[in-house]
Amino acid sequence: FSREHQSVIAGKLSYYDHLNKDDVVTSPLLRRNIHRIEKGLIMRPMRLSFGGDYIIETVEEYLRILNLPNFSNKEKLWAGDVLREYYSKVELVGGIVDARRSLENIGFFDTVDSQNSTSLKNCPYPRKSVVRSNIKHEEFLRLCQQRRSVRWFKPEPVNELKLRAAIDTATLAPSACNRQPYRFTLLIGEDAQEVAGFAMGTKGFSQNIPALIVLIGDLSAYPYERDRHIIYIDTSLAAMSFMLALETLGLSSCPINWPDIEIREKKIASRLNLLQHERPVMLMAVGEALEEGGIPFSQKNSSEHLMEKIRK
């Protein structure tokens, strides 16, 4: 496990290094803490005072990123709106007061945004306001039955706009403290086939893959070793949404297990220029399915077998 140990340590170092960089587009610290505030705001009943142990570092990080040229505007808006909502409801005690003063010094509470109704989209909202889908369970079941691992594809290039649409859908998957510790690396044609061959289990069909997505987990999103496994959970949640979205766009996929074997790790890390804190979680073959291509039946287990009810 030496590579994983080194990656976790490199991730911690990179996490703290990012707190001093000016070219970042997102902040794991800010994302985590703003999400923590959101959870506090939706508590029933909401505590009069919460977040005192992390609000100062949250506001400091928010003030730091405000003037960073490449930082995500959506993340800035979200953080700002949640902080305004927080200070409209929380009791001012201890560090909460000190953090508010820092915001007051830049006129934070006097800005137009605080009166802009559209900014409410970036704050916690009641479940009843969710726009409901018309999809019934039977239709969703059919989509899941339609999504099977396809290994035989048409030779046509994959539409990258469809890939982006599927990735945008995948970002809606749940993620621990909203840190989304992953990225999608796209390879096409011969590059896709070469990297697909790095994994085990692709012999015989890798040479007909028109596009390959490598899902990369980013350990620099965490300052603590306890979170080292989250890249695998969050990336897998996003991957499932990604595959279902592809089906609705006329594309099929085949998730390819990535074997954690040192010689293969070195090969893919070198080929994709991965940093030490980045780990390949899985590979995903993508393309238009060859209609005559075969699909394994793969009988699935039932709920009777998989669900266990615990009794006293």
Side-chain angles (χ1 to χ4, degrees):
F1 300 105
S2 61
R3 176 175 287 271
E4 183 168 6
H5 292 166
Q6 293 171 20
S7 296
V8 170
I9 294 170
K12 291 179 64 175
L13 293 172
S14 181
Y15 173 89
Y16 289 112
D17 188 39
H18 282 177
L19 298 179
N20 298 308
K21 284 188 174 181
D22 294 336
D23 59 348
V24 295
V25 297
T26 186
S27 167
L29 184 152
L30 186 66
R31 295 184 71 85
R32 178 189 182 222
N33 285 358
I34 292 297
H35 185 66
R36 293 165 79 184
I37 292 174
E38 286 191 305
K39 290 190 290 185
L41 289 170
I42 65 170
M43 280 294 169
R44 295 172 62 87
M46 194 194 88
R47 291 189 298 169
L48 292 177
S49 179
F50 67 90
D53 55 335
Y54 60 84
I55 188 60
I56 291 178
E57 72 170 5
T58 305
V59 169
E60 287 177 348
E61 179 66 357
Y62 174 72
L63 295 176
R64 183 183 78 88
I65 61 92
L66 279 181
N67 297 315
L68 299 186
N70 300 320
F71 201 87
S72 166
N73 284 326
K74 289 184 177 180
E75 193 164 319
K76 290 179 184 178
L77 286 172
W78 170 52
D81 287 347
V82 172
L83 285 171
R84 289 187 181 92
E85 184 77 2
Y86 171 74
Y87 274 109
S88 73
K89 294 182 176 180
V90 77
E91 188 176 83
L92 299 178
V93 294
I96 298 175
V97 178
D98 296 332
R100 181 184 171 88
R101 289 198 189 100
S102 297
L103 291 169
E104 289 172 343
N105 289 337
I106 65 164
F108 177 77
F109 299 102
D110 302 325
T111 59
V112 176
D113 285 347
S114 64
Q115 305 298 322
N116 186 351
S117 61
T118 60
S119 67
L120 296 177
K121 296 178 181 178
N122 298 305
C123 288
Y125 50 88
R127 170 68 180 179
K128 65 182 179 182
S129 68
V130 172
V131 178
R132 302 301 175 100
S133 165
N134 292 322
I135 299 174
K136 304 301 182 184
H137 174 260
E138 292 76 13
E139 285 295 320
F140 182 68
L141 176 61
R142 277 194 281 273
L143 176 62
C144 292
Q145 290 170 333
Q146 174 184 320
R147 188 233 57 86
R148 303 306 299 270
S149 294
V150 168
R151 293 171 173 82
W152 305 106
F153 301 97
K154 295 178 182 179
E156 285 84 355
V158 175
N159 186 317
E160 291 189 26
L161 291 178
K162 290 184 177 182
L163 289 177
R164 289 184 179 276
I167 292 172
D168 284 336
T169 303
T171 65
L172 298 175
S175 169
C177 283
N178 198 34
R179 281 169 287 190
Q180 298 184 299
Y182 48 74
R183 61 184 173 87
F184 295 70
T185 296
L186 170 65
L187 300 105
I188 57 177
E190 293 181 358
D191 292 328
Q193 295 156 15
E194 176 196 4
V195 175
F198 293 171
M200 302 175 72
T202 59
K203 188 175 182 180
F205 78 92
S206 64
Q207 292 307 307
N208 95 112
I209 296 174
L212 185 77
I213 295 286
V214 183
L215 285 86
I216 306 296
D218 182 3
L219 283 162
S220 71
Y222 314 102
Y224 309 114
E225 292 90 341
R226 69 185 184 214
D227 294 325
R228 66 188 181 278
H229 62 289
I230 296 179
I231 60 170
Y232 306 107
I233 297 173
D234 285 359
T235 303
S236 297
L237 289 168
M240 192 69 249
S241 294
F242 178 65
M243 287 186 286
L244 291 173
L246 288 173
E247 288 292 332
T248 69
L249 295 164
L251 296 173
S252 296
S253 61
C254 180
I256 301 169
N257 179 50
W258 177 253
D260 190 356
I261 299 173
E262 182 62 16
I263 189 171
R264 296 176 186 271
E265 289 275 354
K266 287 182 177 179
K267 185 178 290 188
I268 198 168
S270 174
R271 181 65 175 78
L272 302 183
N273 296 315
L274 300 185
L275 300 174
Q276 195 170 14
H277 55 77
E278 295 177 324
R279 302 297 307 279
V281 176
M282 71 177 77
L283 279 56
M284 190 87 66
V286 180
E288 292 185 42
L290 187 68
E291 295 299 326
E292 298 78 16
I295 296 174
F297 183 79
S298 297
Q299 175 60 42
K300 306 302 181 184
N301 284 322
S302 67
S303 59
E304 287 80 5
H305 176 73
L306 295 174
M307 190 174 84
E308 177 185 14
K309 188 175 182 179
I310 304 297
R311 295 183 175 88
K312 289 185 179 180

